[in-house]
mmCIF file with all atom_site columns, all heavy atoms in Angstrom:
data_model
loop_
_atom_site.group_PDB
_atom_site.id
_atom_site.type_symbol
_atom_site.label_atom_id
_atom_site.label_alt_id
_atom_site.label_comp_id
_atom_site.label_asym_id
_atom_site.label_entity_id
_atom_site.label_seq_id
_atom_site.pdbx_PDB_ins_code
_atom_site.Cartn_x
_atom_site.Cartn_y
_atom_site.Cartn_z
_atom_site.occupancy
_atom_site.B_iso_or_equiv
_atom_site.pdbx_formal_charge
_atom_site.auth_seq_id
_atom_site.auth_comp_id
_atom_site.auth_asym_id
_atom_site.auth_atom_id
_atom_site.pdbx_PDB_model_num
ATOM 1   N N   . LEU A 1 6  ? 127.905 47.692 80.114 1.00 69.00 ? 270 LEU A N   1
ATOM 2   C CA  . LEU A 1 6  ? 129.000 46.776 80.423 1.00 69.00 ? 270 LEU A CA  1
ATOM 3   C C   . LEU A 1 6  ? 128.739 46.111 81.762 1.00 69.00 ? 270 LEU A C   1
ATOM 4   O O   . LEU A 1 6  ? 128.380 46.772 82.720 1.00 69.00 ? 270 LEU A O   1
ATOM 5   C CB  . LEU A 1 6  ? 130.339 47.526 80.489 1.00 69.00 ? 270 LEU A CB  1
ATOM 6   C CG  . LEU A 1 6  ? 130.775 48.243 79.229 1.00 69.00 ? 270 LEU A CG  1
ATOM 7   C CD1 . LEU A 1 6  ? 132.045 49.033 79.494 1.00 69.00 ? 270 LEU A CD1 1
ATOM 8   C CD2 . LEU A 1 6  ? 130.982 47.274 78.089 1.00 69.00 ? 270 LEU A CD2 1
ATOM 9   N N   . ASN A 1 7  ? 128.937 44.816 81.818 1.00 66.00 ? 271 ASN A N   1
ATOM 10  C CA  . ASN A 1 7  ? 128.765 44.078 83.059 1.00 66.00 ? 271 ASN A CA  1
ATOM 11  C C   . ASN A 1 7  ? 130.087 43.397 83.371 1.00 66.00 ? 271 ASN A C   1
ATOM 12  O O   . ASN A 1 7  ? 130.460 42.422 82.737 1.00 66.00 ? 271 ASN A O   1
ATOM 13  C CB  . ASN A 1 7  ? 127.648 43.051 82.908 1.00 66.00 ? 271 ASN A CB  1
ATOM 14  C CG  . ASN A 1 7  ? 127.332 42.376 84.220 1.00 66.00 ? 271 ASN A CG  1
ATOM 15  O OD1 . ASN A 1 7  ? 127.875 42.720 85.258 1.00 66.00 ? 271 ASN A OD1 1
ATOM 16  N ND2 . ASN A 1 7  ? 126.438 41.403 84.176 1.00 66.00 ? 271 ASN A ND2 1
ATOM 17  N N   . ASP A 1 8  ? 130.802 43.930 84.359 1.00 61.00 ? 272 ASP A N   1
ATOM 18  C CA  . ASP A 1 8  ? 132.149 43.425 84.625 1.00 61.00 ? 272 ASP A CA  1
ATOM 19  C C   . ASP A 1 8  ? 132.171 42.125 85.415 1.00 61.00 ? 272 ASP A C   1
ATOM 20  O O   . ASP A 1 8  ? 133.223 41.572 85.652 1.00 61.00 ? 272 ASP A O   1
ATOM 21  C CB  . ASP A 1 8  ? 132.991 44.477 85.339 1.00 61.00 ? 272 ASP A CB  1
ATOM 22  C CG  . ASP A 1 8  ? 132.411 44.863 86.685 1.00 61.00 ? 272 ASP A CG  1
ATOM 23  O OD1 . ASP A 1 8  ? 131.287 44.405 87.014 1.00 61.00 ? 272 ASP A OD1 1
ATOM 24  O OD2 . ASP A 1 8  ? 133.078 45.613 87.405 1.00 61.00 ? 272 ASP A OD2 1
ATOM 25  N N   . ASP A 1 9  ? 131.001 41.630 85.834 1.00 61.00 ? 273 ASP A N   1
ATOM 26  C CA  . ASP A 1 9  ? 131.018 40.353 86.551 1.00 61.00 ? 273 ASP A CA  1
ATOM 27  C C   . ASP A 1 9  ? 130.527 39.196 85.670 1.00 61.00 ? 273 ASP A C   1
ATOM 28  O O   . ASP A 1 9  ? 130.156 38.153 86.160 1.00 61.00 ? 273 ASP A O   1
ATOM 29  C CB  . ASP A 1 9  ? 130.209 40.434 87.842 1.00 61.00 ? 273 ASP A CB  1
ATOM 30  C CG  . ASP A 1 9  ? 128.775 40.856 87.593 1.00 61.00 ? 273 ASP A CG  1
ATOM 31  O OD1 . ASP A 1 9  ? 128.313 40.744 86.453 1.00 61.00 ? 273 ASP A OD1 1
ATOM 32  O OD2 . ASP A 1 9  ? 128.128 41.295 88.547 1.00 61.00 ? 273 ASP A OD2 1
ATOM 33  N N   . PHE A 1 10 ? 130.522 39.404 84.355 1.00 62.00 ? 274 PHE A N   1
ATOM 34  C CA  . PHE A 1 10 ? 130.195 38.369 83.383 1.00 62.00 ? 274 PHE A CA  1
ATOM 35  C C   . PHE A 1 10 ? 128.813 37.773 83.598 1.00 62.00 ? 274 PHE A C   1
ATOM 36  O O   . PHE A 1 10 ? 128.585 36.602 83.367 1.00 62.00 ? 274 PHE A O   1
ATOM 37  C CB  . PHE A 1 10 ? 131.262 37.261 83.421 1.00 62.00 ? 274 PHE A CB  1
ATOM 38  C CG  . PHE A 1 10 ? 132.520 37.652 82.713 1.00 62.00 ? 274 PHE A CG  1
ATOM 39  C CD1 . PHE A 1 10 ? 133.319 38.667 83.202 1.00 62.00 ? 274 PHE A CD1 1
ATOM 40  C CD2 . PHE A 1 10 ? 132.888 37.043 81.538 1.00 62.00 ? 274 PHE A CD2 1
ATOM 41  C CE1 . PHE A 1 10 ? 134.460 39.055 82.542 1.00 62.00 ? 274 PHE A CE1 1
ATOM 42  C CE2 . PHE A 1 10 ? 134.034 37.419 80.875 1.00 62.00 ? 274 PHE A CE2 1
ATOM 43  C CZ  . PHE A 1 10 ? 134.823 38.429 81.376 1.00 62.00 ? 274 PHE A CZ  1
ATOM 44  N N   . GLY A 1 11 ? 127.890 38.591 84.067 1.00 55.00 ? 275 GLY A N   1
ATOM 45  C CA  . GLY A 1 11 ? 126.523 38.108 84.239 1.00 55.00 ? 275 GLY A CA  1
ATOM 46  C C   . GLY A 1 11 ? 126.355 37.131 85.374 1.00 55.00 ? 275 GLY A C   1
ATOM 47  O O   . GLY A 1 11 ? 125.319 36.499 85.499 1.00 55.00 ? 275 GLY A O   1
ATOM 48  N N   . SER A 1 12 ? 127.362 36.984 86.225 1.00 55.00 ? 276 SER A N   1
ATOM 49  C CA  . SER A 1 12 ? 127.276 35.981 87.271 1.00 55.00 ? 276 SER A CA  1
ATOM 50  C C   . SER A 1 12 ? 126.558 36.474 88.519 1.00 55.00 ? 276 SER A C   1
ATOM 51  O O   . SER A 1 12 ? 126.086 35.697 89.312 1.00 55.00 ? 276 SER A O   1
ATOM 52  C CB  . SER A 1 12 ? 128.688 35.528 87.662 1.00 55.00 ? 276 SER A CB  1
ATOM 53  O OG  . SER A 1 12 ? 129.427 36.630 88.133 1.00 55.00 ? 276 SER A OG  1
ATOM 54  N N   . TYR A 1 13 ? 126.479 37.783 88.702 1.00 53.00 ? 277 TYR A N   1
ATOM 55  C CA  . TYR A 1 13 ? 125.824 38.306 89.894 1.00 53.00 ? 277 TYR A CA  1
ATOM 56  C C   . TYR A 1 13 ? 124.467 38.839 89.522 1.00 53.00 ? 277 TYR A C   1
ATOM 57  O O   . TYR A 1 13 ? 124.339 39.461 88.479 1.00 53.00 ? 277 TYR A O   1
ATOM 58  C CB  . TYR A 1 13 ? 126.669 39.440 90.498 1.00 53.00 ? 277 TYR A CB  1
ATOM 59  C CG  . TYR A 1 13 ? 126.068 40.034 91.730 1.00 53.00 ? 277 TYR A CG  1
ATOM 60  C CD1 . TYR A 1 13 ? 126.275 39.454 92.954 1.00 53.00 ? 277 TYR A CD1 1
ATOM 61  C CD2 . TYR A 1 13 ? 125.265 41.162 91.653 1.00 53.00 ? 277 TYR A CD2 1
ATOM 62  C CE1 . TYR A 1 13 ? 125.697 39.997 94.091 1.00 53.00 ? 277 TYR A CE1 1
ATOM 63  C CE2 . TYR A 1 13 ? 124.697 41.710 92.775 1.00 53.00 ? 277 TYR A CE2 1
ATOM 64  C CZ  . TYR A 1 13 ? 124.911 41.118 93.996 1.00 53.00 ? 277 TYR A CZ  1
ATOM 65  O OH  . TYR A 1 13 ? 124.335 41.640 95.111 1.00 53.00 ? 277 TYR A OH  1
ATOM 66  N N   . PRO A 1 14 ? 123.420 38.636 90.219 1.00 50.00 ? 278 PRO A N   1
ATOM 67  C CA  . PRO A 1 14 ? 123.253 37.947 91.486 1.00 50.00 ? 278 PRO A CA  1
ATOM 68  C C   . PRO A 1 14 ? 122.742 36.517 91.336 1.00 50.00 ? 278 PRO A C   1
ATOM 69  O O   . PRO A 1 14 ? 121.995 36.054 92.189 1.00 50.00 ? 278 PRO A O   1
ATOM 70  C CB  . PRO A 1 14 ? 122.237 38.826 92.204 1.00 50.00 ? 278 PRO A CB  1
ATOM 71  C CG  . PRO A 1 14 ? 121.344 39.294 91.104 1.00 50.00 ? 278 PRO A CG  1
ATOM 72  C CD  . PRO A 1 14 ? 122.224 39.406 89.893 1.00 50.00 ? 278 PRO A CD  1
ATOM 73  N N   . THR A 1 15 ? 123.073 35.826 90.261 1.00 50.00 ? 279 THR A N   1
ATOM 74  C CA  . THR A 1 15 ? 122.574 34.462 90.095 1.00 50.00 ? 279 THR A CA  1
ATOM 75  C C   . THR A 1 15 ? 123.203 33.521 91.112 1.00 50.00 ? 279 THR A C   1
ATOM 76  O O   . THR A 1 15 ? 124.301 33.748 91.599 1.00 50.00 ? 279 THR A O   1
ATOM 77  C CB  . THR A 1 15 ? 122.863 33.925 88.686 1.00 50.00 ? 279 THR A CB  1
ATOM 78  O OG1 . THR A 1 15 ? 124.269 33.940 88.479 1.00 50.00 ? 279 THR A OG1 1
ATOM 79  C CG2 . THR A 1 15 ? 122.196 34.764 87.624 1.00 50.00 ? 279 THR A CG2 1
ATOM 80  N N   . THR A 1 16 ? 122.486 32.459 91.420 1.00 52.00 ? 280 THR A N   1
ATOM 81  C CA  . THR A 1 16 ? 123.016 31.482 92.369 1.00 52.00 ? 280 THR A CA  1
ATOM 82  C C   . THR A 1 16 ? 123.337 30.151 91.713 1.00 52.00 ? 280 THR A C   1
ATOM 83  O O   . THR A 1 16 ? 124.055 29.349 92.273 1.00 52.00 ? 280 THR A O   1
ATOM 84  C CB  . THR A 1 16 ? 122.010 31.245 93.517 1.00 52.00 ? 280 THR A CB  1
ATOM 85  O OG1 . THR A 1 16 ? 120.753 30.853 92.956 1.00 52.00 ? 280 THR A OG1 1
ATOM 86  C CG2 . THR A 1 16 ? 121.828 32.515 94.340 1.00 52.00 ? 280 THR A CG2 1
ATOM 87  N N   . PHE A 1 17 ? 122.781 29.915 90.535 1.00 52.00 ? 281 PHE A N   1
ATOM 88  C CA  . PHE A 1 17 ? 123.122 28.681 89.820 1.00 52.00 ? 281 PHE A CA  1
ATOM 89  C C   . PHE A 1 17 ? 122.994 28.930 88.324 1.00 52.00 ? 281 PHE A C   1
ATOM 90  O O   . PHE A 1 17 ? 122.282 29.847 87.901 1.00 52.00 ? 281 PHE A O   1
ATOM 91  C CB  . PHE A 1 17 ? 122.225 27.516 90.252 1.00 52.00 ? 281 PHE A CB  1
ATOM 92  C CG  . PHE A 1 17 ? 120.753 27.768 90.041 1.00 52.00 ? 281 PHE A CG  1
ATOM 93  C CD1 . PHE A 1 17 ? 120.127 27.456 88.847 1.00 52.00 ? 281 PHE A CD1 1
ATOM 94  C CD2 . PHE A 1 17 ? 119.991 28.347 91.053 1.00 52.00 ? 281 PHE A CD2 1
ATOM 95  C CE1 . PHE A 1 17 ? 118.794 27.695 88.661 1.00 52.00 ? 281 PHE A CE1 1
ATOM 96  C CE2 . PHE A 1 17 ? 118.645 28.585 90.874 1.00 52.00 ? 281 PHE A CE2 1
ATOM 97  C CZ  . PHE A 1 17 ? 118.050 28.261 89.677 1.00 52.00 ? 281 PHE A CZ  1
ATOM 98  N N   . PRO A 1 18 ? 123.698 28.129 87.506 1.00 55.00 ? 282 PRO A N   1
ATOM 99  C CA  . PRO A 1 18 ? 123.665 28.358 86.045 1.00 55.00 ? 282 PRO A CA  1
ATOM 100 C C   . PRO A 1 18 ? 122.237 28.270 85.512 1.00 55.00 ? 282 PRO A C   1
ATOM 101 O O   . PRO A 1 18 ? 121.446 27.438 85.927 1.00 55.00 ? 282 PRO A O   1
ATOM 102 C CB  . PRO A 1 18 ? 124.530 27.223 85.495 1.00 55.00 ? 282 PRO A CB  1
ATOM 103 C CG  . PRO A 1 18 ? 125.402 26.825 86.629 1.00 55.00 ? 282 PRO A CG  1
ATOM 104 C CD  . PRO A 1 18 ? 124.585 27.055 87.878 1.00 55.00 ? 282 PRO A CD  1
ATOM 105 N N   . GLY A 1 19 ? 121.918 29.157 84.595 1.00 57.00 ? 283 GLY A N   1
ATOM 106 C CA  . GLY A 1 19 ? 120.602 29.150 83.965 1.00 57.00 ? 283 GLY A CA  1
ATOM 107 C C   . GLY A 1 19 ? 119.582 30.006 84.688 1.00 57.00 ? 283 GLY A C   1
ATOM 108 O O   . GLY A 1 19 ? 118.492 30.213 84.181 1.00 57.00 ? 283 GLY A O   1
ATOM 109 N N   . GLU A 1 20 ? 119.924 30.505 85.875 1.00 56.00 ? 284 GLU A N   1
ATOM 110 C CA  . GLU A 1 20 ? 118.997 31.366 86.595 1.00 56.00 ? 284 GLU A CA  1
ATOM 111 C C   . GLU A 1 20 ? 118.893 32.708 85.875 1.00 56.00 ? 284 GLU A C   1
ATOM 112 O O   . GLU A 1 20 ? 119.857 33.182 85.309 1.00 56.00 ? 284 GLU A O   1
ATOM 113 C CB  . GLU A 1 20 ? 119.511 31.576 88.028 1.00 56.00 ? 284 GLU A CB  1
ATOM 114 C CG  . GLU A 1 20 ? 118.596 32.444 88.865 1.00 56.00 ? 284 GLU A CG  1
ATOM 115 C CD  . GLU A 1 20 ? 119.135 32.642 90.280 1.00 56.00 ? 284 GLU A CD  1
ATOM 116 O OE1 . GLU A 1 20 ? 120.266 32.213 90.560 1.00 56.00 ? 284 GLU A OE1 1
ATOM 117 O OE2 . GLU A 1 20 ? 118.426 33.227 91.082 1.00 56.00 ? 284 GLU A OE2 1
#
Side-chain angles (χ1 to χ4, degrees):
L270 300 175
N271 187 5
D272 61 354
D273 57 19
F274 283 67
S276 60
Y277 180 84
T279 60
T280 55
F281 58 89
E284 181 180 7

